[in-house]
Amino acid sequence: SYELTQPPSVSVSPGQTARITCSGDALPKKYAYWYQQKSGQAPVLVIYEDSKRPSGIPERFSGSSSGTMATLTISGAQVEDEADYYCYSTDSSGNLWVFGGGTKLTVL
Amino acid sequence: EVQLVESGGGLVKPGGSLRLSCAASGFTFSNAWMSWVRQAPGKGLEWVGRIKSKTDGGTTDYAAPVKGRFTISRDDSKNTLYLQMNSLKTEDTAVYYCTTGAEVWGQGTTVTVSS
């Protein structure tokens, strides 16, 4: 079965840049999506199609993808960015979707 | 306003069945590919399965842990998505979300499988 691999945790100080990676064999040909989830809430899409930002998402959130790795970057992370972040993509067939294991971002 | 509202969650015994519903509004539901995603207590998000729009064939795909036990269907006349869950196991305990697979998510409905 297809897997996406994320680091379990990332920690930065306020104002620093946080980078969360996601690796998967199909990422060279399939888009990555990134979700933010705060405790007790539904996920919120912060990046779609590798690098596009939905309306209402702050500009400090950006995404990129190169080879088998996608990266979510939060430039100038703020305390309110503390959350779990999940990458989401599909296998090479395009029919089976999968989430990464999630990364807990701590900003303090 | 674009909205998804899940319902039908509850407590069920192992081996039992449950049907979840997801009512859609504010967008053209019949054109949307819809997915179910679940989250077990204290765990990460898990894709359950997806149904394509009827114009794209209306076919379904499922994650391995639920394949053969869960069935996704849709009623475009009612703007409603369904998840029929059979042969439930304790490990199916989770919050179940319906989603367009991108920006639009429901608030989730809780399914607890326990004796």
Side-chain angles (χ1 to χ4, degrees):
Chain A
S1 62
Y2 186 53
E3 292 184 356
L4 296 173
T5 302
Q6 298 180 234
S9 63
V10 168
S11 183
V12 298
S13 299
Q16 287 188 328
T17 296
R19 292 183 179 85
I20 299 172
T21 58
C22 172
S23 64
D25 288 343
L27 289 177
K29 295 188 176 181
K30 300 298 183 184
Y31 286 126
Y33 298 73
W34 290 93
Y35 288 92
Q36 175 194 69
Q37 188 182 34
K38 296 184 178 179
S39 182
Q41 298 181 18
V44 172
L45 182 71
V46 295
I47 293 291
Y48 67 100
E49 293 181 0
D50 289 346
S51 59
K52 298 176 182 177
R53 195 173 52 249
S55 60
I57 299 302
E59 290 185 7
R60 62 180 181 273
F61 288 87
S62 63
S64 62
S65 188
S66 178
T68 59
M69 185 169 290
T71 303
L72 172 68
T73 301
I74 307 172
S75 303
Q78 302 185 7
V79 173
E80 59 261 36
D81 299 331
E82 276 205 349
D84 294 323
Y85 290 86
Y86 296 90
C87 60
Y88 180 56
S89 187
T90 183
D91 69 354
S92 55
S93 75
N95 292 324
L96 299 180
W97 288 75
V98 64
F99 287 92
T103 299
K104 183 175 182 60
L105 175 65
T106 301
V107 183
L108 53 75
Chain B
E1 179 191 7
V2 176
Q3 198 172 13
L4 295 171
V5 179
E6 301 95 337
S7 61
L11 175 64
V12 61
K13 288 181 167 52
S17 298
L18 205 60
R19 189 179 82 157
L20 306 183
S21 299
C22 170
S25 59
F27 65 100
T28 307
F29 177 76
S30 60
N31 290 345
W33 293 21
M34 299 295 298
S35 294
W36 286 96
V37 172
R38 68 183 181 182
Q39 187 168 35
K43 302 296 185 181
L45 300 171
E46 180 183 23
W47 180 79
V48 171
R50 182 219 60 216
I51 186 167
K52 295 181 180 179
S53 64
K54 283 194 166 53
T55 55
D56 289 320
T59 55
T60 52
D61 289 285
Y62 301 93
V66 308
K67 193 170 185 179
R69 299 188 299 123
F70 290 11
T71 301
I72 299 173
S73 61
R74 63 191 302 157
D75 185 337
D76 291 342
S77 68
K78 296 182 178 179
N79 287 347
T80 302
L81 177 73
Y82 300 100
L83 179 65
Q84 177 67 45
M85 303 184 294
N86 298 331
S87 303
L88 282 162
K89 306 175 181 180
T90 55
E91 53 262 42
D92 295 319
T93 294
V95 174
Y96 285 74
Y97 297 98
C98 65
T99 172
T100 58
E103 280 190 270
V104 187
W105 288 63
Q107 84 290 349
T109 187
T110 300
V111 172
T112 303
V113 184
S114 175
S115 55

